Structure formats: C-alpha cells, structure tokens
C-alpha cells in the first residue's frame, strides 16, 4: 500500500491540519508523532528505503527499541503538511538500543525529524509503559490562551488543574488526572524532555511555560480532543479574567466530588483544596 493511502497517515495529516486551522501552529510551531502499530508498518514497508544514515536521538529510549514512528519534520510548517505530506513528515525507525533513528520514508526534499524528538520519544517511552502500550500519539502545539495563562497563574500543577477544571464542567471528565506544568526551559533538548516525561507518568497534559503544551493519547481523536478541551477552557479563563479578576460563582470542590461519582472518574483530592 502507498504510505499516503494508509489510514494512520491520513489521520495524522488531518490532525496537523486541524491544529493549523485552530491557529496553534504559526510558522513551524508545534510537532506531532505517532507510534506505528506492527501491522501498519507491515502494510507500508514496501515503500521504505534504508539509504539514509542513522543519527543520534539525543537521548536514550531503550523502551522504544525497534519501534517505528510517523513524525513531523523540523522547521516544517503544519500548514504545508496537507499540501505535500511527503515533504513535511517522515517515518523513522529506532535502533535496537533506543539511541539512534533513521528516516525510512518522507522528508523527500530534505530535513530531519522535529527538534523536539527527544521529548516526543521520552514521552512515548513513559506512556507506552504506564498505559501498557495503549497510548500512541504525542502532540505539541502552541495553543494561544494556555500560553497566555502561563504569565498570570503560578506555574503549579494544582493551580492550573483546578482553574482549568472550573472553566468547563466536562474538563474533569476529560482530564481527571489533572495537568502538569514545566517552568520555562530551553526547548529542543534532553533536559526539557526529561522534565516533561516525568510529568507524563501522572498526566496526559504537560504545559510548557511561555511556550505551549504536550498531550498524550491513544489515538488522534482523543489526543487532539484533549488539547482542544484544555485550550477551550484556557480561553474561557482568559475571557473571565478579562471581565473581572475574581469569580462571582464557580464549580465548588463538592460539585466536583458529586460529578466524579456520576461520571465514574477519580479526582485527586489534592486538586480540590479550599481557596
Ligand atoms: P520543530 O520545527 O523542530 O518541530 O520545532 C517547532 C517547535 O514548536 C519547537 O518547540
Ligand atoms: Zn514548540
């Protein structure tokens, strides 16, 4: 099968475009990766070439040895993914030590995988383990309202979780485990990857202060839906804070406990503190 005919590739391209249309991917901002299923690799491997060199990942991910990923290219624009997928995304293989990768398909006009490959792969490694292989998508976007909030809220997991939960009743159902926050760090390297992947043990969302967010999920719909829910809630909070600095009424800790019972979710008490 041609790579571009595969359902997982079409889902990946659509997600890139959905993010572009929502304004989260200015220029080359953001990146996406998908851990390809063995049967999907099998269905497209006739298109792979092995003439490109192995290159260091920049970190070690032994838990992903031998895995294949579909990834956006570094410096490539999400805007262009749907117009010319083969020039803007690629399939890479991780070596048997989890130290190096090589491009097997795509980036046909040159380039390399996203500069955030260390964060993507370290997050994949953690998520593969803690979800018994269920999570396959890691998504990084520059969602505007969430970034704005990182200038006015304390960079604290509990504060961000609680404020986002309060802005939309569905939020604690969509991300009951809460969200984690990484203070400002230089992007694109191992250090920020280590901090982010630590948070991914507990959360499916990691916010990068003054930069954006990382989301993890089982498939494209769930992962994009998660980012969309978080950003929608952030937008409501930005609007609310613009109208007045305090709330006249809100969803209370007891309201959240009641919601948790009816919706069969566990909401950690550490987020239901009295203000
Ligand atoms: P890349 O173009 O290398 O994917 O980088 C974009 C980005 O958002 C870095 O954080
Ligand atoms: Zn970024």
């Amino acid at each position: 099968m041609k790579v571009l005919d595969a359902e997982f590739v079409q889902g990946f391209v659509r997600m890139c475009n959905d993010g572009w249309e929502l304004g989260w991917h200015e220029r080359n901002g953001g990146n996406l990766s998908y851990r390809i299923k063995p049967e999907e690799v099998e269905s497209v491997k006739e298109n792979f070439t092995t003439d490109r060199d192995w290159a260091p990942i920049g970190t070690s991910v032994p838990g992903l040895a031998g895995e294949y990923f579909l990834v956006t290219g570094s410096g490539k624009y999400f805007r262009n993914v749907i117009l010319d997928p083969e020039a803007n995304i690629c399939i890479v293989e991780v070596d048997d030590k989890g130290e190096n990768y090589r491009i097997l398909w795509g980036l046909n006009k040159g380039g390399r995988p996203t500069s955030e490959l260390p964060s993507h792969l370290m997050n994949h490694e953690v998520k593969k383990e803690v979800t018994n292989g269920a999570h396959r998508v890691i998504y990084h976007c520059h969602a505007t309202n969430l970034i704005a909030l990182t200038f006015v809220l304390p960079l604290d997991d509990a504060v961000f979780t609680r404020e986002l939960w309060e802005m939309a009743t569905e939020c604690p159902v969509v991300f009951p485990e809460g969200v984690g926050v990484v203070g400002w760090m230089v992007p694109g390297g191992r250090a920020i990857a280590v901090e982010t992947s630590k948070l991914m043990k507990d959360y499916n969302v990691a916010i990068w202060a003054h930069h954006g967010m990382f989301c993890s999920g089982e498939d494209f719909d769930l992962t994009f839906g998660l980012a969309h829910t978080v950003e929608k809630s952030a937008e409501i909070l930005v609007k609310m804070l613009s109208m007045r600095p305090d709330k006249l009424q809100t969803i209370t800790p007891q309201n959240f406990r009641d919601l948790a019972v009816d919706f069969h979710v566990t909401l950690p008490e550490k987020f239901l503190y009295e203000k």
Side-chain angles (χ1 to χ4, degrees):
M1 189 196 302
K2 288 209 178 79
V3 173
L4 296 182
D5 290 338
E7 204 180 316
F8 73 95
V9 179
Q10 293 178 356
F12 185 100
V13 169
R14 177 187 147 186
M15 180 157 159
C16 289
N17 205 58
D18 287 348
W20 153 253
E21 287 187 347
L22 285 171
W24 303 341
H25 299 284
E26 76 292 340
R27 204 172 181 279
N28 65 308
N31 22 77
L32 175 63
S33 64
Y34 171 70
R35 188 166 57 82
I36 309 173
K37 295 175 184 167
E39 62 272 24
E40 292 169 332
V41 172
E42 205 56 40
S43 72
V44 298
K45 72 172 191 205
E46 61 189 290
N47 305 282
F48 293 171
T49 55
T50 54
D51 52 317
R52 282 177 272 191
D53 291 337
W54 291 99
I57 293 168
T59 189
S60 185
V61 283
L64 299 178
E67 293 267 12
Y68 294 76
F69 293 86
L70 182 58
V71 201
T72 50
S74 184
K76 305 298 183 191
Y77 292 25
F78 268 47
R79 172 70 186 103
N80 294 334
V81 169
I82 201 165
L83 302 175
D84 191 356
E86 205 161 348
N88 292 288
I89 65 178
C90 62
I91 292 175
V92 299
E93 175 188 12
V94 174
D95 71 2
D96 58 3
K97 293 198 174 54
E99 304 270 345
N100 300 287
Y101 73 86
R102 67 174 170 183
I103 301 172
L104 299 174
W105 173 90
L107 291 177
N108 63 357
K109 294 175 186 156
R112 56 185 176 84
T114 172
S115 59
E116 303 295 359
L117 196 64
S119 281
H120 278 262
L121 294 187
M122 289 192 86
N123 290 341
H124 274 294
E125 188 181 41
V126 165
K127 283 301 183 186
K128 184 183 169 188
E129 194 189 328
V130 300
T131 70
N132 290 318
H135 278 210
R136 293 192 168 271
V137 182
I138 298 288
Y139 177 46
H140 169 55
C141 65
H142 295 176
T144 317
N145 293 284
L146 191 68
I147 296 169
L149 288 178
T150 65
F151 294 92
V152 299
L153 291 185
L155 300 176
D156 177 80
D157 298 2
V159 173
F160 264 83
T161 298
R162 180 65 176 277
E163 291 301 321
L164 292 171
W165 279 3
E166 282 186 40
M167 291 302 111
T169 296
E170 292 286 295
C171 281
V173 181
V174 177
F175 50 96
E177 61 292 316
V179 299
V181 185
V182 181
W184 189 87
M185 291 181 78
V186 176
R190 185 171 185 276
I192 196 167
V194 168
E195 291 312 308
T196 310
S197 61
K198 274 187 211 159
L199 292 176
M200 284 292 177
K201 289 184 181 139
D202 294 323
Y203 306 116
N204 293 326
V205 179
I207 298 165
W208 280 5
H210 324 322
H211 185 146
M213 73 172 123
F214 265 83
C215 286
S216 173
E218 290 183 27
D219 59 26
F220 298 121
D221 278 352
L222 285 166
T223 313
F224 191 80
L226 175 59
H228 201 184
T229 305
V230 168
E231 171 60 5
K232 172 78 184 276
S233 202
E235 182 180 350
I236 298 169
L237 187 53
V238 167
K239 286 185 157 79
M240 190 224 95
L241 292 168
S242 315
M243 288 185 282
R244 53 182 290 160
D246 58 337
K247 299 162 191 153
L248 210 51
Q249 55 274 322
T250 188
I251 306 170
T252 67
Q254 191 51 48
N255 292 155
F256 284 122
R257 293 186 190 102
D258 295 342
L259 186 81
V261 173
D262 278 22
F263 281 80
H264 311 293
V265 289
T266 304
L267 300 179
E269 276 294 319
K270 66 179 175 198
F271 300 135
L272 301 180
Y273 52 87
E274 290 303 327
K275 291 190 204 172

